[in-house]
Amino acid sequence: GQQLNQSPQSMFIQEGEDVSMNCTSSSIFNTWLWYKQDPGEGPVLLIALYKAGELTSNGRLTAQFGITRKDSFLNISASIPSDVGIYFCAGARGNKLVFGAGTILRVKS
Amino acid sequence: NAGVTQTPKFQVLKTGQSMTLQCAQDMNHEYMSWYRQDPGMGLRLIHYSVGAGITDQGEVPNGYNVSRSTTEDFPLRLLSAAPSQTSVYFCASSFDRGTGNTIYFGEGSWLTVV
């Protein structure tokens, strides 16, 4: 089935550093979404993007919907220990979501 | 404010056994879906429903059945469990057809098939 290529697979960064991750696909999506999953819990929506080129912020998080509609990135500024978790991108088209494999973020305090 | 409730949280099955993962939402959402999460694979859609009485297959439907007799409930049945079905299962619901802005996930069900 179709998949999104999400990178990096994992990151181990120093507290206070900025983080960047991205997703690419060979398919066009109408909506790009970024989720965070904490251990033992379900994914929680962080940011939703609806238009090509759209740049949206949510606190220290910034995400962009690529112009080609085939990619998106998520930036986290000034990371803190509670940012640890798995971050998923998802592309939506019609009534289905396709998820990336996730980026595991670990933060050294 | 329960949101999406999944049970059980953890389950161990023997190969060939059957079981049902329960999912209920109290938000009057029309759209419900089941995903499985495996390492390095992200979340993959198993089955989904756009309303009571309507279900359809997702990306990985084999070995699973669903039904949607009410708006609130969307159970996932494993007919004859196989080790390949060891995974974490998430139920999700939303007002509209999964465009993501209002999609809510349950806390997950950890299933091990031995």
Side-chain angles (χ1 to χ4, degrees):
Chain A
Q2 57 184 352
Q3 290 284 324
L4 299 181
N5 298 312
Q6 185 171 349
S7 63
Q9 288 186 337
S10 65
M11 305 179 71
F12 195 26
I13 63 170
Q14 196 77 30
E15 182 179 355
E17 287 183 347
D18 296 343
V19 174
S20 184
M21 59 192 79
N22 69 82
C23 275
T24 62
S25 173
S26 58
S27 302
I28 291 173
F29 290 100
N30 298 324
T31 303
W32 280 93
L33 307 149
W34 286 92
Y35 288 86
K36 183 192 177 196
Q37 184 180 24
D38 292 322
E41 311 220 347
V44 174
L45 182 66
L46 298 174
I47 292 180
L49 302 158
Y50 301 105
K51 294 181 183 178
E54 179 181 354
L55 184 71
T56 297
S57 293
N58 178 9
R60 293 179 296 106
L61 308 177
T62 301
Q64 184 158 31
F65 192 144
I67 291 290
T68 64
R69 295 167 64 192
K70 294 182 179 181
D71 63 315
S72 176
F73 72 75
L74 174 71
N75 288 339
I76 305 173
S77 62
S79 57
I80 59 178
S82 62
D83 288 336
V84 300
I86 305 176
Y87 291 79
F88 290 100
C89 63
R93 185 172 57 244
N95 55 11
K96 296 180 184 175
L97 287 179
V98 178
F99 284 84
T103 296
I104 301 171
L105 181 62
R106 300 181 180 91
V107 180
K108 292 183 286 187
S109 55
Chain B
N1 192 11
V4 180
T5 304
Q6 287 181 236
T7 56
K9 182 85 170 181
F10 301 99
Q11 182 73 51
V12 179
L13 285 178
K14 292 183 179 178
T15 297
Q17 283 185 318
S18 62
M19 79 156 296
T20 299
L21 298 177
Q22 301 291 343
C23 177
Q25 52 89 12
D26 60 359
M27 297 173 282
N28 202 31
H29 287 172
E30 289 295 323
Y31 183 84
M32 296 185 73
S33 53
W34 276 101
Y35 292 85
R36 59 177 289 172
Q37 183 179 25
D38 301 294
M41 301 290 288
L43 291 112
R44 292 181 293 168
L45 182 65
I46 304 172
H47 285 285
Y48 66 97
S49 168
V50 299
I54 306 169
T55 64
D56 206 346
Q57 295 181 349
E59 183 186 354
V60 288
N62 292 342
Y64 307 95
N65 275 358
V66 292
S67 60
R68 186 89 182 273
S69 56
T70 67
T71 298
E72 293 78 21
D73 300 299
F74 191 44
L76 178 72
R77 297 184 187 85
L78 282 71
L79 305 176
S80 178
S84 61
Q85 293 178 304
T86 294
S87 187
V88 184
Y89 292 85
F90 288 98
C91 180
S93 73
S94 67
F95 285 109
D96 54 25
R97 293 192 173 193
T99 55
N101 57 322
T102 54
I103 193 167
Y104 298 88
F105 284 89
E107 293 188 341
S109 296
W110 273 251
L111 177 65
T112 301
V113 183
V114 298

